[in-house]
Amino acid sequence: MLVRLGVMLVRVRLRVRFAETDQMGIAHHSAYVVWLEAGRVEWLRERGLSYRQLEDEGVSLAVSGVEVGYRTAARFDDEIEVETTLVEARSRRFRFSYRLTRTEDSALLATGSTVHVPTDRRGRAMRLPEEWLDRLLGLVGGERK
């Protein structure tokens, strides 16, 4: 595990599956969003924050924004690494950043970010529960806003 800007980042390794590619064996742009999610869920898990537990408590983390900057194509069977970093945490929103690289040659495949809003079971925006917010703020060295 590495430390960047005081926030631990998580690296997840994945293989580009055939189902994620087009006829030329190049990963479809939509697969990158799935890979970001894999990195984000693992980031939470490695810090003892279970997304399943949060859902069981009636809170979902709705994606309110996604940005992906594509740099180099990923191809079928490439092993890729997704680096995930929490860069902002507030009571009603938080943001992750990502770097996706091919492990074979360290080529930068894409960069990205996602913004999340906690919602209740009816899909209405809400504040993240205090326990969760305190843990996230502790990880980014932040204060309540």
Side-chain angles (χ1 to χ4, degrees):
M1 217 169 291
L2 300 175
V3 176
R4 182 185 296 165
L5 301 174
V7 179
M8 295 171 72
L9 67 89
V10 169
R11 290 181 171 173
V12 174
R13 288 192 174 190
L14 307 165
R15 284 233 178 244
V16 178
R17 297 169 293 207
F18 185 76
E20 296 168 323
T21 64
D22 61 18
Q23 287 181 325
M24 297 179 293
I26 296 174
H28 190 269
H29 65 275
S30 63
Y32 289 73
V33 177
V34 174
W35 300 336
L36 300 183
E37 179 183 8
R40 182 172 61 253
V41 169
E42 192 59 34
W43 189 96
L44 291 165
R45 180 180 291 117
E46 289 215 5
R47 281 150 188 81
L49 300 168
S50 163
Y51 188 78
R52 177 180 282 182
Q53 179 185 352
L54 187 62
E55 287 276 334
D56 289 346
E57 293 174 14
V59 181
S60 293
L61 302 178
V63 177
S64 64
V66 176
E67 289 185 20
V68 181
Y70 302 96
R71 304 292 297 271
T72 303
R75 298 181 181 280
F76 169 65
D77 207 37
D78 280 352
E79 183 179 55
I80 63 171
E81 189 168 77
V82 181
E83 293 182 357
T84 305
T85 307
L86 178 66
V87 294
E88 178 184 8
R90 297 179 182 208
S91 63
R92 293 184 181 263
R93 128 189 173 125
F94 52 99
R95 185 168 52 96
F96 288 91
S97 69
Y98 309 86
R99 285 180 51 86
L100 289 80
T101 56
R102 185 173 29 246
T103 59
E104 179 183 341
D105 60 3
S106 300
L108 179 61
L109 303 172
T111 58
S113 68
T114 56
V115 178
H116 304 268
V117 175
T119 61
D120 63 19
R121 287 197 170 113
R122 288 171 268 154
R124 289 192 247 170
M126 62 179 284
R127 290 184 181 274
L128 193 64
E130 297 289 321
E131 173 188 346
W132 286 79
L133 179 60
D134 288 343
R135 291 171 80 181
L136 288 173
L137 288 173
L139 293 168
V140 297
E143 299 176 11
R144 285 187 182 274
K145 294 184 180 186

